[in-house]
Amino acid sequence: MDFYEVLEKRRTIRDFSNRKVSDEVLDKILSAAFKAPTNDHLRQFEFIVVRGHENISRIVSPVAENTKNIQQTALEAAAGVMDKDEHAMFVSALPKQQRMLIESDCLVLPFFRQMNAPLCHPVDQSSLNYFASAWAAVENILLAATAEGLACAFRIPIGNEPEYVKQAIHAPEGYEFTCFLAIGYPAENAHICKQKEINIGDRIHHNVW
């Protein structure tokens, strides 16, 4: 698949089929993470792969309650002022938050090693380099999965989810949890949310100084 075709086809898909992702394909996809630019070139990433509905259910057990109490509540409060496409996306996505992680049957937990400045209390913008590196790695995974004909959906953890996951898998001190990343084959009738149409010419500005 051509690179620009991969960019065009990559979408967040939250409806998965029962088809299993082989270890060979998954390793190929995760290896793409290490091709991304990283802070200080250290590539301080670790990936925990969780398979099986019961195992995944234990890892994501706080998700349903947090979705209801935090995200759904916020959505209802902001419904009148949100962009209509954004609102439609959340209406579709929120009920699937826990289910999509379980039904993918292949949950990846990306961890990165946080050094020096604490993530949530950056000294300056460059203190976020570790977090930026982690998300550059996740983007490579999303594109690699698309190239292999797979679908991905990620959930950025909220509430007690980061600490719950770190304790559940006995994460070493200094490693931070990036996101829940579901990887699988899309369901035949998988819903794809409408993408906001962007006029590139309105977003690119040359010689503005």
Side-chain angles (χ1 to χ4, degrees):
M1 191 182 298
D2 174 80
F3 176 72
Y4 289 97
E5 185 180 359
V6 171
L7 290 179
E8 186 64 31
K9 287 183 175 295
R10 191 220 57 79
R11 294 288 185 271
T12 297
I13 296 177
R14 300 179 176 88
D15 304 296
F16 295 95
S17 72
N18 293 326
R19 183 180 175 188
K20 306 298 183 184
V21 179
S22 70
D23 288 341
E24 180 182 6
V25 170
L26 183 61
D27 288 350
K28 184 178 180 181
I29 291 169
L30 295 182
S31 70
F34 295 95
K35 306 299 182 184
T38 62
N39 186 58
D40 296 335
H41 303 278
L42 294 177
R43 296 178 175 175
Q44 297 278 15
F45 304 133
E46 304 283 345
F47 296 96
I48 305 296
V49 178
V50 185
R51 292 190 184 265
H53 292 178
E54 292 185 4
N55 293 331
I56 296 174
S57 294
R58 287 195 292 270
I59 291 292
V60 304
S61 62
V63 167
E65 183 176 355
N66 286 344
T67 299
K68 177 182 177 181
N69 295 340
I70 301 174
Q71 293 176 294
Q72 191 68 48
T73 299
L75 178 64
E76 292 170 1
V81 297
M82 291 179 71
D83 175 271
K84 64 178 183 179
D85 293 333
E86 178 189 17
H87 183 264
M89 181 277 293
F90 277 111
V91 168
S92 171
L94 290 187
K96 300 177 181 179
Q97 290 299 291
Q98 187 173 43
R99 188 180 73 213
M100 70 185 186
L101 302 175
I102 297 171
E103 290 185 352
S104 71
D105 203 44
C106 182
L107 178 66
V108 176
L109 306 174
F111 280 81
F112 67 97
R113 188 177 180 186
Q114 174 68 47
M115 301 171 66
N116 304 324
L119 174 63
C120 295
H121 302 282
V123 176
D124 50 33
Q125 192 164 333
S126 68
S127 301
L128 298 173
N129 282 347
Y130 294 99
F131 200 47
S133 298
W135 278 103
V138 170
E139 174 70 4
N140 272 20
I141 293 172
L142 299 178
L143 295 176
T146 301
E148 295 294 330
L150 285 101
C152 293
F154 63 80
R155 173 183 174 83
I156 300 174
I158 62 174
N160 63 335
E161 293 166 18
E163 290 305 317
Y164 180 89
V165 169
K166 287 192 288 185
Q167 292 178 14
I169 61 98
H170 306 293
E173 184 71 26
Y175 276 82
E176 294 294 336
F177 172 48
T178 308
C179 65
F180 298 99
L181 179 56
I183 300 177
Y185 290 94
E188 186 175 343
N189 61 342
H191 175 72
I192 300 178
C193 292
K194 178 182 178 181
Q195 302 295 303
K196 180 64 67 177
E197 294 184 7
I198 300 297
N199 184 336
I200 299 300
D202 294 337
R203 300 294 182 93
I204 301 176
H205 310 281
H206 298 277
N207 298 330
V208 295
W209 55 89

